[in-house]
């Protein structure tokens, strides 16, 4: 049976490594949001993906992380993206 949920690294210092990774990911996502997206401008999904694909080939994952973290927001219909916090 598979356990569901977030896995943290096992062993000594595992929690500290996970917290460090989460902090670095947050800093990276903040940098991407500030670099590519203006606060008062709305972008289509295609525009967001074009910008993010210059950083990494899995632009959908980056977009998802930005939305989950609140750095990008979108309406329920997914028609556009705006810079969040």
């Amino acid at each position: 049976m598979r356990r569901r949920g977030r896995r943290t690294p096992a062993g000594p210092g595992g929690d500290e490594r996970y917290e460090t990774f989460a902090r670095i990911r947050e800093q990276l996502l903040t940098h991407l949001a500030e670099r590519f997206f203006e606060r008062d401008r709305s972008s289509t999904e295609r525009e967001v993906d074009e910008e993010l694909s210059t950083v990494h080939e899995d632009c959908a994952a980056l977009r998802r992380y930005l939305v989950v973290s609140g750095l990008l927001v979108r309406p329920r219909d997914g028609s556009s993206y705006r810079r969040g916090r």
Side-chain angles (χ1 to χ4, degrees):
M1 186 162 124
R2 270 181 96 179
R3 285 181 73 188
R4 292 184 182 245
R6 214 175 255 194
R7 293 192 314 172
T8 57
D15 289 337
E16 291 174 19
R17 285 188 303 235
Y18 182 78
E19 290 172 10
T20 300
F21 173 77
R23 189 173 54 251
I24 291 171
R25 180 173 59 190
E26 179 69 21
Q27 291 171 349
L28 174 65
L29 293 174
T30 300
H31 173 74
L32 292 176
E34 291 171 351
R35 178 176 176 194
F36 292 125
F37 307 108
E38 299 173 26
R39 285 211 179 270
D40 299 328
R41 184 175 178 275
S42 184
S43 302
T44 65
E45 184 172 305
R46 185 178 191 169
E47 292 170 330
V48 171
D49 287 350
E50 285 176 3
E51 293 290 350
L52 295 176
S53 67
T54 64
V55 177
H56 194 274
E57 65 185 26
D58 193 355
C59 55
L62 288 176
R63 178 173 23 89
R64 186 170 43 252
Y65 291 140
L66 286 163
V67 169
V68 167
S69 68
L71 291 164
L72 280 184
V73 293
R74 66 178 177 202
R76 279 182 113 34
D77 65 3
S79 60
S80 64
Y81 291 82
R82 286 185 156 284
R83 174 100 177 270
R85 57 182 178 92

